[in-house]
Amino acid sequence: MSSLKLRTRRDFGKAIGTAALAPWAAGGAMASPAGTAATGVPSFPANFLWGCATAAYQIEGAAHEDGRKPSVWDTYARTPGKVAGGDTGDVANDHYHRYKEDVALLKSLGVRAYRYSVSWPRVFPEGRGPVNDKGVAFYDRLTDELLAAGIDPWVTLFHWDLPQALEDRWGGWQSRETAKAFADYAAFVARRLSDRVRHFFPINEFVCFIDQGYGTGIKAPGKQIPAGALNQTRHNALLAHGWAVEAIRAAARPGVQIGLAENPQICVPVIETPAHIEAARQAMRELNAPFLTAILEGRYTTAYLSAAGRHAPRFTPEEMKAIASPLDFVGLNVYTPTHIRADRSGAGFAVVPLPSSYPRMASEWLFLDPAVAYWAPRHLAEIWKVKDVYITENGCSSDDRIAADGCVYDTDRVMYLRTHLASARRATEEGWPLRGYFHWSLMDNFEWTDGYGKRFGLYYVDFRTQRRIPKLSAELFREVVRRNAVA
Ligand code: PNW
């Protein structure tokens, strides 16, 4: 009867001898055959990939160092009134000099992957033409440091920092010359890094640098061009993606994997009834017609083209084929929901506006609905038969403070993470092909127009001293990774 008094698996192991223990009982990091971690909480699949994400302009700093020239974000941030507090990425997290320390932070979280972005104007200061060897050398060092720490680099080639020279010369993405230059740059980086980097994302989030960069003008380069020109600019960005996929395949060592890091509207059915779910599927296709749907289907939807009318983009079948170049996986950046209900009129669906009382995080736009982490992979699998899905960003801003004891108790981020991961876990449990999760972000950083005022990190950064302080959420995430289960 003495075994009844034993409380922990470790005691149990001692009693019966370790040889008899199931492999998962010892550490808790491995999944049990039944998909249940040592704690009894359902675990993620055995090879589920845990990672963190960042982007060059948001963390690197060293804006004028070693031959880097300005990007459109350097210019935009310098324009009075554009970025909160007049903040710029000049110094940011000084990651260019502190990358070893930052890789150590990743290592201490236990993650196996890190999504970083390469700064185009660091590698090609003029956007094209002569390469800047010192810029390339930084990504060599960073990549080597990651690999030495057992962390796989997943590399984004464009996270919004377009070389200013290309904006000046061609009006940036308004010209397909920029798309061609991008494919050349992508090929160059893939050739240089693909002996060590096996995963590439050509472009991060189209809407944020096209619709917001050239439509509303709330992000760099801050232009407002007419509807027809905007649709053509969107099309140019799609071409840049497609041509880059082709160029990377041609230039890289065999076997590299190429995917998206896109933030579509994530359509969540208001209630999970068959009618609302069907409406959400239709909405997912139509509301994302300009980018995600175009890439995954190789065509613009009829509704998109007819709504655009005489402002519709001009394109050829060959271009649409390039845009739909086969991908190895699809990554989605998952933040805020679009709630959808069935609707008998017209499209068959309607967007349900958020009530003014709807909960949100510190960023104005970041409304809370963990269901996005479930519906993103499910929609990709159901609508487009995607076989490998990653959440390439998920996270939240919160009003982080250092408490009297020196700790940062970001209980709202802990809640955000736990609920979103539980929702992601529901997706894997039901068999939807979600293969990994990258947290946005490793550490607080330059949050675009919000400057340093909105913090998304697992690590708090004191931007005066560059000290990194683990938040409570870092502890949670480390525990999640260790258990491979929601903690
Ligand atoms: C992403 N929205 O941007 C970017 O990839 C990151 O660089 C950024 O720091 C992070 O999310 C947090 O903002 C987004 O309005 C910006 O839904 C806006 C939205 C989504 C993502």
Side-chain angles (χ1 to χ4, degrees), residues 54-55 58 115 159-160 204-205 207-208 212 219 261 263-264 333-337 363 365-366 392-397 440-441 445-448 450 456:
T54 63
Q58 295 180 270
R115 180 175 166 238
H159 202 122
W160 314 350
N204 182 73
E205 299 187 357
V207 165
C208 290
Q212 297 182 351
K219 285 196 168 82
N263 67 325
N333 299 348
V334 165
Y335 290 97
T336 205
S363 302
W365 54 271
L366 187 38
T392 35
E393 286 181 26
N394 172 245
C396 70
S397 46
W440 184 272
S441 184
N445 57 47
F446 177 79
E447 176 53 16
W448 307 111
D450 287 327
F456 276 80

Side-chain angles (χ1 to χ4, degrees), residues 12-300:
F12 185 61
K14 275 187 206 142
I16 63 171
T18 14
L21 271 182
W24 45 272
M30 289 167 70
S32 74
T36 305
T39 54
V41 176
S43 61
F44 286 86
N47 290 322
F48 197 80
L49 188 71
W50 295 103
C52 290
T54 63
Y57 189 69
Q58 295 180 270
I59 64 167
E60 283 181 3
H64 311 290
E65 221 163 304
D66 288 345
R68 181 188 180 276
K69 287 205 176 158
S71 74
V72 293
W73 266 97
D74 296 80
T75 311
Y76 190 75
R78 246 176 207 78
T79 311
K82 296 297 187 192
V83 172
D87 292 344
T88 74
D90 280 1
V91 178
N93 298 42
D94 195 30
H95 172 74
Y96 191 76
H97 301 112
R98 293 169 196 263
Y99 68 95
K100 287 191 179 179
E101 183 189 339
D102 295 335
V103 171
L105 300 182
L106 287 161
K107 194 171 180 184
S108 98
L109 291 173
V111 295
R112 277 200 293 127
Y114 174 52
R115 180 175 166 238
Y116 74 78
S117 89
V118 172
S119 158
W120 185 353
R122 208 179 275 294
V123 175
F124 290 103
E126 300 289 340
R128 56 193 193 130
V131 66
N132 176 30
D133 290 326
K134 284 188 174 169
V136 182
F138 170 67
Y139 299 106
D140 274 333
R141 291 196 293 279
L142 172 60
T143 300
D144 291 343
E145 187 74 16
L146 286 164
L147 291 174
I151 299 165
D152 221 9
W154 289 51
V155 170
T156 312
L157 294 165
F158 182 69
H159 202 122
W160 314 350
D161 44 358
L162 182 75
Q164 181 64 44
L166 298 186
E167 190 63 43
D168 295 342
R169 185 176 173 98
W170 290 318
W173 296 106
Q174 294 174 84
S175 163
R176 60 180 56 201
E177 293 302 321
T178 296
K180 287 184 197 156
F182 177 66
D184 291 343
Y185 150 71
F188 175 85
V189 176
R191 200 174 296 117
R192 271 301 296 265
L193 295 183
S194 62
D195 57 336
R196 289 155 290 157
V197 174
R198 308 306 293 153
H199 297 87
F200 288 96
F201 306 92
I203 287 178
N204 182 73
E205 299 187 357
F206 291 90
V207 165
C208 290
F209 69 97
I210 298 293
D211 295 55
Q212 297 182 351
Y214 297 87
T216 56
I218 59 168
K219 285 196 168 82
K223 292 184 174 164
Q224 291 179 297
I225 62 176
L230 181 62
N231 286 337
Q232 205 61 44
T233 301
R234 288 168 158 181
H235 184 72
N236 293 340
L238 289 178
L239 282 175
H241 160 82
W243 289 340
V245 173
E246 294 173 346
I248 295 167
R249 291 230 195 271
R253 302 217 175 176
V256 295
Q257 307 248 301
I258 309 175
L260 295 178
E262 175 56 349
N263 67 325
Q265 294 202 41
I266 295 169
C267 296
V268 175
V270 276
I271 305 173
E272 292 189 9
T273 62
H276 293 311
I277 290 172
E278 178 50 32
R281 270 197 291 268
Q282 286 177 34
M284 188 76 192
R285 271 192 81 236
E286 289 302 347
L287 299 182
N288 298 305
F291 300 117
L292 183 68
T293 306
I295 290 171
L296 295 180
E297 297 186 13
R299 60 176 165 162
Y300 291 119

